[in-house]
Each structure stands twice: as C-alpha cells, then as structure tokens.
Amino acid sequence: MEHPENDKAYKGLVVNAGIEPPSSVNPYLKNHPRRKKRSLSVADYVDGIVKGDVTILSRAVTLVESVLPEHQTVAQEVIEKCLPYAGNSVRIGISGVPGAGKSTSIDVFGLHVLGKYGGKLAVLAIDPSSERSKGSILGDKTRMEKLSVHPKSFIRPSPSAGSLGGVARKTRETIVLCEAAGFDKIFVETVGVGQSETAVHSMVDFFLLIQLAGTGDELQGIKRGIMEMADGIVINKADGDNLERAKLAASQFRNALHLFPASESGWTPQVLTYSGFYNLGVKEIWDMIYQYIAFVKENGYFEYRRNEQSKYWMYETINEYLRDNFYHNPHIEALLAEKEQQVLRGNLTSFVAAKNLLDTYFSDLKR
Ligand code: GDP
C-alpha cells in the first residue's frame, strides 16, 4: 500500500533519510591529545626548582633516584646548578623504632614549625629496607594526614631499596634540590634500627631521637652509639597512664647521658617528654631545637658540622663509586663466585683471594 506520506495532499511530518551513525570517538580528541610529559632540559629543571615549582622538583627527585645512567647525568648537572641556591635551611633528623610515633609526631611537628616560623617544610626519609611497590613504610603520605595536604609542605618517601649508602646519598642530594626550591626546613626521618642513623646524622644539623617508655629497662636495646649521636631525646606518648613511666624514662636517659663525654658542639643534649597524639610538649621540643640552632650558629659549630658533612659525603661518594665499579666489572663478576668457593673450601685464604680479584680489576683498568 502507498504510504500516505507520499501523497501530495499529505500534511503530516515527513520522515527524512537517516544519516551515517557518527563515530563513537570524539573527533575533538585528536586536537587534544593526552599530553605526554615533555622532557625537560637541565636549565628547565633548574629554573623550575628555583622558582619553587613542586611538580618540577618532584620530577628532578625522580631523576636523582633513577638508576639509569642518562638520568643520573642530568640529575648531577641539575644538582650542581642548584648548589648555589642550597644550604639555607635547618635540617632535622628524626629517628625512632617503628611504633615510636614518628609519623604522628612529624605531622604535629610540621604544623607547629610552619605555624610558628613560617617558611616551607620538606619531609624526606631514609629507609634502606623499603621497596615502593610493597608499600614504603616511611614517607607514605597517608601517614601524615595534615601535613600532606598543607600547601607549604613537600613529603617524599624514601628512595626505594638499595644499599644504605646509595639510598642515603639520594636523600642527601634531594635535600639540595629542596633547599634550592625554597624549603627552609628539612626533616629527614629514619627507622631507628641500625646504621641508617649514622647516615641521617651525617646530613642534619640536629638529630632528634624519639623513644618510648617501656618496661623500666629503657636503656637496654638502645645502642650507645645512637644515643651519643642524639642532640635531643624525646619520650613520646607521655599521656594518660603512661605519663609517670615517661617521666621515669626521661630521668633514666638524663642519667645515662651524664656518663657520656661532652659533645663536640658544646651543647648538652636535652631529654624531654611529650605526646604527639595529644599535642602536649611539642612547643617545648621546638623551642629547644631552635635554641640549639642559635647556640651552634653563634659558636661556629653549625658551619663546622656542615663542612665536615660535605667532606664525609665526598669520601662516601668515592667509596660507593669504586665499589660499584669493581663489582660491576665483567671479569670480577665472572670470577667472584669461584673465588668465594675457594675461600669457603679452604683452598685459598681470604687475603689471597681478595688480592687476586683486585689485581684482575686493576690490570683491567690499565688496558
Ligand atoms: P611510627 O611507626 O614511628 O611512624 O609510629 P606512628 O606514628 O605510626 O604511631 C604508632 C602508634 O602509636 C599509632 O597507633 C599512634 O596512634 C600511636 N601514637 C603515636 N603518638 C602517640 C602519643 O603521643 N600518645 C599515644 N598514646 N599514642 C600515640
């Protein structure tokens, strides 16, 4: 039957021919491609950092942490160019065993110093055991809830696992970049379980040790060396039922510190109690730290310690480079397991084995 639509007399709506369905891909997208990260030149990095651009700072830190030689080359140039802008900060090392309350404390400490002294704060970490993919235990943003959303703070987790020397060097270099970006307060956090304290101590102006009141035997298990490094010891969780125990622990620490020889700085390490969670005694800790800074700036120890640290890092870098170069030498890689076996079986003394390997390495260098 004829459709009424085709009749000239028909006054109704006309059905038009359809059109090709449009592409399901938005044609405008090709005009707005997803922006790929433009690679930056050394000058771009330095300009961005000096202007305080945190995105560029983050990217530069990523280069510092990279193991790729081409990244390292750029990173080293950026660091060198940032050096003239660096150094103008107060660097504080914060150490304590897991559970001592470091994250809780750093959150309140950070807010306190930014509130009282202004400026900008970078929180870095040294944790040689951390692997980011497994969830770094240090520097994790969610652990410092308030600070991580503060506009004047920059929190960076520990460089991922590697040799302690390598991890520490990267953190030390990151300090330079942060300072060039205008961060005038630097916290370097570490888990208080061993050698990483020495590394942190070698890059900060003040070393703060967070302790807990425990079973009454506070001084057991804390290494004398670590206590000797401390410019201040603070007993956390001095709240509620724990208050008296914290006070007792503090007096035990004070007594123990008396037995140590006077520190090189002329400063007598202080012992204080506080509660990071309830924000009690935090002001006193920072008054003490700033008092120390004024004291050592006045007597010249501040400069002296920083110079000594620069020297230390020069040797550390040399040692690390030589070690790396030795162990990555193809001949050494090929020989090492064999020599090790010979030593284990008693066919070769340790010294002869070491000498053989070193001779191989040095004669390789001469070629
Ligand atoms: P970290 O492992 O050293 O970083 O320690 P955290 O900051 O994660 O704290 C470990 C636990 O101790 C958490 O459950 C905190 O809530 C608790 N804590 C931290 N500071 C205090 C404090 O001042 N008083 C009390 N009572 N608990 C605290």
Side-chain angles (χ1 to χ4, degrees):
M1 199 184 96
E2 271 290 304
H3 196 282
E5 218 177 66
N6 296 330
D7 193 311
K8 282 202 175 80
Y10 181 70
K11 293 278 187 284
L13 288 172
V14 179
V15 176
N16 286 323
I19 57 160
E20 281 295 304
S23 159
S24 60
V25 177
N26 182 343
Y28 294 105
L29 270 184
K30 66 170 182 289
N31 298 331
H32 301 279
R34 236 176 80 82
R35 275 209 282 151
K36 253 191 88 180
K37 268 193 198 163
R38 193 167 62 87
S39 73
L40 301 174
S41 68
V42 170
D44 292 337
Y45 276 115
V46 178
D47 282 355
I49 290 172
V50 172
K51 281 192 195 122
D53 183 327
V54 175
T55 313
I56 294 187
L57 171 65
S58 289
R59 286 181 63 181
V61 175
T62 306
L63 281 191
V64 166
E65 292 175 356
S66 168
V67 289
L68 295 180
E70 59 268 33
H71 287 172
Q72 274 305 311
T73 313
V74 178
Q76 292 309 320
E77 269 186 68
V78 172
I79 293 166
E80 202 182 311
K81 296 220 159 61
C82 281
L83 269 175
Y85 304 97
N88 192 17
S89 73
V90 174
R91 307 172 185 160
I92 314 290
I94 299 177
S95 170
V97 293
K102 290 179 298 301
S103 355
T104 316
S105 302
I106 289 174
D107 212 25
V108 258
F109 289 172
L111 291 181
H112 176 79
V113 293
L114 286 172
K116 182 159 179 188
Y117 304 98
K120 297 203 288 181
L121 167 69
V123 180
L124 312 175
I126 292 184
D127 176 11
S129 65
S130 90
E131 263 180 61
R132 259 186 229 163
S133 52
K134 288 185 188 158
S136 165
I137 46 164
L138 286 182
D140 185 349
K141 290 194 175 190
T142 57
R143 297 183 317 128
M144 294 156 202
E145 273 176 26
K146 299 200 190 79
L147 209 51
S148 62
V149 293
H150 195 288
K152 301 284 183 191
S153 83
F154 175 73
I155 301 179
R156 186 84 188 188
S158 175
S160 41
S163 70
L164 171 62
V167 171
R169 181 178 53 75
K170 290 170 191 171
T171 303
R172 158 101 181 160
E173 291 174 344
T174 302
I175 293 181
V176 171
L177 301 183
C178 291
E179 288 177 351
F183 288 86
D184 60 346
K185 296 165 186 67
I186 314 275
F187 290 177
V188 185
E189 176 190 8
T190 193
V191 168
V193 285
Q195 286 186 315
S196 51
E197 283 85 358
T198 317
V200 173
H201 185 252
S202 65
M203 62 179 83
V204 297
D205 307 313
F206 187 99
F207 188 73
L208 186 72
L209 187 58
I210 299 181
Q211 288 290 309
L212 291 178
T215 53
D217 238 352
E218 322 312 344
L219 303 177
Q220 268 200 358
I222 156 159
K223 294 199 189 76
R224 186 193 153 103
I226 295 177
M227 256 180 90
E228 257 174 311
M229 274 191 271
D231 301 298
I233 296 178
V234 287
I235 321 287
N236 190 17
K237 309 193 187 180
D239 46 50
D241 295 347
N242 211 27
L243 186 58
E244 287 311 312
R245 276 195 294 162
K247 284 186 182 161
L248 180 66
S251 69
Q252 290 179 337
F253 274 110
R254 276 186 207 109
N255 289 337
L257 283 174
H258 280 311
L259 305 175
F260 290 169
S263 66
E264 237 185 326
S265 60
W267 168 262
T268 312
Q270 312 264 307
V271 183
L272 300 173
T273 58
Y274 79 110
S275 166
F277 194 81
Y278 294 101
N279 201 347
L280 302 168
V282 170
K283 177 187 175 296
E284 286 72 11
I285 294 175
W286 287 91
D287 287 352
M288 181 256 290
I289 292 174
Y290 274 85
Q291 205 186 331
Y292 168 90
I293 299 291
F295 177 77
V296 290
K297 278 196 170 164
E298 176 73 27
N299 74 6
Y301 183 77
F302 186 89
E303 267 304 302
Y304 169 79
R305 180 157 161 175
R306 284 208 172 176
N307 288 338
E308 286 294 305
Q309 290 174 340
S310 300
K311 193 171 86 184
Y312 172 88
W313 283 101
M314 181 184 89
Y315 286 110
E316 274 297 298
T317 310
I318 294 173
N319 294 345
E320 200 195 322
Y321 182 83
L322 287 177
R323 200 179 307 125
D324 253 30
N325 200 265
F326 175 80
Y327 285 107
H328 287 126
N329 175 298
H331 283 125
I332 298 300
E333 279 178 341
L335 266 177
L336 205 57
E338 182 192 321
K339 293 287 171 197
E340 193 184 296
Q341 279 308 315
Q342 290 179 335
V343 170
L344 287 174
R345 284 199 221 99
N347 299 340
L348 205 59
T349 72
S350 323
F351 306 104
V352 173
K355 180 87 170 54
N356 288 169
L357 286 162
L358 286 166
D359 285 345
T360 310
Y361 175 70
F362 287 123
S363 65
D364 244 21
L365 287 187
K366 283 190 201 121
R367 253 184 250 146

